[in-house]
Amino acid sequence: MIKIVFPDLSEREFEKGITPLEIANSISLSLAKKCMVAKFNDEIIDMNQELTKDGKIELILGGEDGYEDLLNHSCAHMLAQAIKQLYPNAMFGVGPAIEEGFYYDIDLGDIKLTEDDLPKIEKKMQALVASGETINRIVVSKEEALELFKNDIYKKELIEELEDKVTITIYRQGDFYDLCRGPHVSSTKWLKNFKLLSISGAYWKGDAKNHQLQRIYGTCFATEKSLKEHLINLEERKKRDHRKLGKELDLFMISEFGPGFPFWLPNGMILRRNLENFWYKIHTEVGYQFVQTPIMLNKELWEISGHWYNYKENMYTSVIDEKEFAIKPMNCPGGMLVYKNDIHSYRDFPLRIGELGLVHRHEASGALNGLFRVRNFTQDDAHIFITEDQIEEEIGRLIDLYDYVYKVFKLSYHIELSTRPLDKYIGEIATWDKAEKALAIAMEKKGIKYVLNPGDGAFYGPKLDFKLKDSMNRIWQCGTIQLDMNLPERFDLNYITETGEKKRPIMLHRALFGSIERFIGILIEHFAGAFPLWLAPKQIIIIPVNNDAHLEYAKYLESLLKEKDIRVSVDERDQKMNYKIRESQTKKIPYTIIVGDQEKESEKVTYRHHGSNESITISIDEFIVMIQNEIRSLGN
């Protein structure tokens, strides 16, 4: 017998091997019909999975939010089942849940699907929902699995890569089988709120040398309302696409002569410089020094750092004076040489060295995406050298800095702590334990809740990842703090302790934006191109009602504002005033000043804020003070 504890803390004993579905049936037949999945000891399991030990159980009903990954993974299987019924010769790659949805990679031979085929596939999936196919978990041997998938070369390849004695989990719904660890919902009836979104190509296992499959993307939610809200969000994202807005607002361009290498246009350069100046200012205030390291360095450096052996295929190389050189894919090795340039003692620590360093990485052409995936970008790097005893305090300072910056841009976030991998890691376990504890304590002292990712740290140290949420509810990985015990060892870095001994410093890698280019792409979409006043390339446009009568006063206002370092210009084109006002709104200029007889005679300013139709008239001095205060406050 096993003892099962329910959410109300009541307890019952059941025969060993009972399933959550059988437990639900023992309570109420109607309850069992409403159950989608179960939680056992806080782990999601299938309704038909056998329970063999004591534990607490929670029965999850269909329609409950918070289980989107489960729904999307199950819906990927239902997509594959529909495809198999429509195209019996189809073979399948992988079909995981992803952020906000799912996909499945499919080989249909000579049949090429288009977006026009999606409604037909959706109709078949809707029929599977209506039929309420039960989804069953089956455990088989490797030999049985190979026999079951003998006609699918991709599933066979995945199975053959597994150890011989391993048991394999299969999921069956109707006459369709899929290879999967699970868990899944109990029935296809819980998958009714889905939508197929797009089709693209994808190489098997992400390798361009392999066969290209067709990838179908979709999404699934617990309720119709959540699905509709998400689809509306997707439409809004299309309007905010940073590539579209980047062109409309004259921020950047990509040329066919340099795929993946962005060109910054004048407006984009103003935006970029404002962001960089902000970065330098906040880091100077908290004790950082700044360096610039070369873009190209000798092969020997990259051998010491390990990049030559582990990352060479992503590096651009050349030969200079009969020696091999590489353009840097990251700034860290150059930062190590900067550290070694001097002798350091414990009195120098924390030593905070920042660099806005331009790096180059070879990305596959198919992966390039505006500013989000490029081949050259500027990392807002810093390398901080500390003693072990300083880890906790320095992490606390970094969290404060990150929190301030993300609030400036109105980006919420959560933090994930990744700890020591089980096998491939360097350094002493005691050092890892101390570092991980220091990271955790630093967050706990700040009252910050975090997600723990056991075993997901880099081989050289634990890390904190900052996951940002934008105005479209998308999650972006930007900020990171990585504790490195590898490069100080590889580069033989030392400092002099209080007792005069040499010791390895602890090094923190950290990036706040991640990269300037990608962060700007995120900001374009986050603000829909309507940047805060301090960041906007053009802050004010002045429109004379009539050039003959009002241009002189408009130029006078322009000169006053320029004296205060405000980015302003006069629109003196021979166009109608309403046309100019509409264009100002389209270009998302924060303030539009209209100059007519009343303003000229009273020496006042009539302005409109972007997105508002209200016109407000105030004195010139009041307007200048208002603008300066808004810039100074960074819009907060």
Side-chain angles (χ1 to χ4, degrees):
M1 301 291 286
I2 58 173
K3 183 169 67 177
I4 301 298
V5 181
F6 293 89
D8 64 358
L9 301 183
S10 62
E11 298 179 5
R12 286 179 60 182
E13 288 192 344
F14 295 93
E15 291 287 341
K16 192 175 183 180
I18 194 167
T19 67
L21 181 60
E22 290 169 336
I23 291 175
N25 271 315
S26 74
I27 299 170
S28 162
L29 294 178
S30 61
L31 172 64
K33 291 178 181 178
K34 296 176 183 177
C35 291
M36 175 176 70
V37 74
K39 271 187 181 179
F40 188 67
N41 291 334
D42 296 322
E43 181 183 350
I44 296 176
I45 63 170
D46 301 293
M47 288 299 294
N48 67 347
Q49 188 165 330
E50 294 184 352
L51 306 181
T52 58
K53 61 183 179 181
D54 296 345
K56 57 181 180 179
I57 196 167
E58 182 181 356
L59 300 171
I60 309 301
L61 306 184
E64 286 194 33
D65 289 323
Y67 299 92
E68 283 73 26
D69 280 355
L70 175 77
L71 290 167
N72 279 296
H73 194 182
S74 299
C75 202
H77 280 226
M78 188 171 73
L79 165 63
Q81 183 183 10
I83 290 288
K84 192 68 175 176
Q85 291 184 3
L86 290 168
Y87 308 97
N89 294 325
M91 294 185 290
F92 300 94
V94 294
I98 56 174
E99 189 74 45
E100 299 186 326
F102 63 88
Y103 69 77
Y104 220 123
D105 290 342
I106 304 156
D107 186 344
L108 294 175
D110 295 331
I111 300 172
K112 298 300 177 186
L113 298 177
T114 69
E115 308 249 331
D116 293 337
D117 293 302
L118 295 184
K120 177 177 67 175
I121 301 170
E122 285 181 336
K123 187 176 180 180
K124 178 62 71 174
M125 292 172 70
Q126 287 160 357
L128 293 172
V129 169
S131 67
E133 301 268 15
T134 299
I135 301 174
N136 291 303
R137 179 175 183 267
I138 305 167
V139 179
V140 299
S141 67
K142 184 175 180 179
E143 291 73 19
E144 289 171 320
L146 286 170
E147 175 62 26
L148 197 59
F149 293 99
K150 62 184 179 183
N151 295 321
D152 191 320
I153 59 173
Y154 304 103
K155 297 296 183 185
K156 280 178 61 180
E157 184 176 330
L158 293 173
I159 295 166
E160 285 167 350
E161 290 171 352
L162 300 174
E163 295 178 11
D164 288 338
K165 294 183 180 179
V166 72
T167 55
I168 295 170
T169 307
I170 306 293
Y171 279 83
R172 177 174 61 81
Q173 49 202 70
D175 58 356
F176 176 76
Y177 292 83
D178 209 344
L179 179 69
C180 187
R181 291 195 189 99
H184 287 284
V185 297
S186 59
S187 167
T188 57
K189 70 181 180 180
W190 304 121
L191 306 174
K192 64 181 179 180
N193 301 302
F194 74 90
K195 179 69 179 174
L196 298 184
L197 300 172
S198 62
I199 298 178
S200 68
Y203 292 108
W204 171 234
K205 294 186 175 179
D207 189 338
K209 297 175 183 177
N210 290 336
H211 187 65
Q212 189 175 50
L213 309 179
Q214 298 182 72
R215 176 172 291 181
I216 300 179
Y217 287 94
T219 191
C220 186
F221 285 85
T223 64
E224 184 180 9
K225 179 184 176 184
S226 296
L227 175 62
K228 285 182 177 178
E229 288 175 351
H230 180 68
L231 295 178
I232 290 170
N233 241 343
L234 292 181
E235 288 303 311
E236 180 63 24
R237 291 177 192 177
K238 289 178 184 177
K239 297 176 187 175
R240 293 174 177 235
D241 189 309
H242 76 286
R243 294 164 298 185
K244 172 178 173 288
L245 289 175
K247 184 175 182 180
E248 292 174 0
L249 302 179
D250 301 315
L251 298 175
F252 70 94
M253 58 173 269
I254 305 290
S255 168
E256 62 183 13
F257 291 103
F261 299 98
F263 287 69
W264 291 98
L265 303 177
N267 282 346
M269 277 304 296
I270 295 172
L271 175 65
R272 181 188 174 106
R273 288 300 182 206
N274 286 334
L275 195 62
E276 290 176 346
N277 290 340
F278 170 72
W279 187 89
Y280 277 115
K281 180 177 181 294
I282 59 174
H283 284 82
T284 299
E285 290 172 350
V286 291
Y288 283 74
Q289 304 173 59
F290 307 103
V291 299
Q292 183 175 18
T293 59
I295 289 179
M296 181 177 280
L297 292 162
N298 191 292
K299 168 188 173 182
E300 292 175 15
L301 177 75
W302 305 109
E303 288 178 329
I304 295 171
S305 70
H307 289 91
W308 194 261
Y309 305 105
N310 299 308
Y311 204 72
K312 185 181 177 184
E313 67 275 10
N314 295 99
M315 297 167 66
Y316 297 108
T317 61
S318 184
V319 175
I320 302 174
D321 296 334
E322 300 181 356
K323 291 185 177 180
E324 284 191 274
F325 279 68
I327 298 175
K328 64 179 179 181
M330 52 191 66
N331 300 304
C332 313
M336 302 305 99
L337 297 184
V338 169
Y339 182 90
K340 285 180 72 80
N341 187 54
D342 287 313
I343 297 172
H344 297 282
S345 93
Y346 70 95
R347 292 188 181 91
D348 300 325
F349 292 169
L351 180 62
R352 307 179 184 100
I353 306 295
E355 177 178 15
L356 292 181
L358 181 65
V359 301
H360 290 70
R361 299 178 185 178
H362 178 67
E363 299 281 358
S365 58
L368 300 176
N369 176 12
L371 298 177
F372 289 157
R373 184 64 69 88
V374 291
R375 286 172 170 163
N376 77 310
F377 54 94
T378 304
Q379 285 187 314
D380 65 314
D381 262 334
H383 299 108
I384 304 173
F385 301 92
I386 54 178
T387 67
E388 283 187 24
D389 294 336
Q390 293 173 325
I391 294 174
E392 183 183 317
E393 185 177 356
E394 190 63 21
I395 293 298
R397 288 196 186 99
L398 285 172
I399 290 172
D400 286 342
L401 180 64
Y402 282 43
D403 183 69
Y404 168 73
V405 170
Y406 297 149
K407 282 179 178 174
V408 163
F409 297 104
K410 297 179 172 59
L411 292 162
S412 61
Y413 66 91
H414 74 271
I415 303 176
E416 298 185 0
L417 167 59
S418 299
T419 60
R420 177 175 54 85
L422 290 176
D423 43 24
K424 294 184 179 179
Y425 63 90
I426 65 165
E428 299 296 325
I429 291 179
T431 304
W432 276 84
D433 291 345
K434 186 173 183 179
E436 291 166 7
K437 185 177 180 181
L439 295 178
I441 290 174
M443 287 187 286
E444 288 162 6
K445 282 187 175 180
K446 297 290 181 186
I448 295 174
K449 293 181 179 180
Y450 59 91
V451 176
L452 186 65
N453 290 331
D456 202 39
F459 74 93
Y460 51 77
K463 61 176 182 171
L464 300 180
D465 289 326
F466 289 71
K467 307 282 187 170
L468 308 186
K469 181 184 284 189
D470 68 10
S471 58
M472 294 281 93
N473 293 317
R474 289 172 299 183
I475 303 297
W476 302 93
Q477 165 63 60
C478 289
T480 186
I481 302 170
Q482 300 176 351
L483 195 150
D484 190 348
M485 294 176 274
N486 178 42
L487 287 184
E489 186 70 33
R490 280 181 173 269
F491 282 89
D492 191 27
L493 303 189
N494 297 290
Y495 71 95
I496 307 301
T497 68
E498 294 181 49
T499 59
E501 298 173 306
K502 283 186 176 182
K503 191 173 182 179
R504 295 266 185 259
I506 296 291
M507 188 175 81
L508 300 176
H509 299 260
R510 45 116 295 184
L512 208 162
F513 298 145
S515 86
I516 296 289
E517 288 76 5
R518 184 166 173 267
F519 195 72
I520 288 177
I522 292 169
L523 292 182
I524 292 171
E525 299 193 3
H526 176 58
F527 290 117
F531 301 107
L533 183 63
W534 71 274
L535 198 57
K538 187 172 289 185
Q539 295 169 322
I540 300 171
I541 191 79
I542 303 174
I543 300 175
V545 174
N546 180 291
N547 278 355
D548 293 335
H550 310 121
L551 182 59
E552 184 179 349
Y553 180 62
K555 291 283 190 181
Y556 168 68
L557 283 177
E558 180 187 38
S559 65
L560 290 179
L561 292 167
K562 281 187 173 180
E563 285 177 6
K564 305 297 183 182
D565 292 326
I566 295 168
R567 296 184 289 278
V568 57
S569 64
V570 176
D571 188 344
E572 55 184 290
R573 294 174 300 165
D574 187 20
Q575 298 282 357
K576 291 182 179 180
M577 183 182 70
N578 286 337
Y579 172 83
K580 294 179 182 180
I581 293 172
R582 282 195 303 273
E583 187 176 70
S584 174
Q585 293 293 305
T586 301
K587 293 292 186 181
K588 304 179 187 293
I589 297 170
Y591 285 94
T592 302
I593 293 177
I594 311 297
V595 172
D597 290 337
Q598 179 184 341
E599 289 76 23
K600 179 180 178 182
E601 291 169 7
S602 62
E603 293 197 349
K604 289 192 174 181
V605 170
T606 298
Y607 70 88
R608 290 184 186 180
H609 196 278
H610 173 74
S612 172
N613 292 321
E614 182 183 8
S615 295
I616 300 173
T617 302
I618 57 177
S619 71
I620 295 173
D621 288 343
E622 286 176 313
F623 181 77
I624 290 175
V625 170
M626 180 187 77
I627 293 297
Q628 288 178 320
N629 286 340
E630 187 175 339
I631 292 171
R632 196 176 296 116
S633 70
L634 303 180
N636 292 300

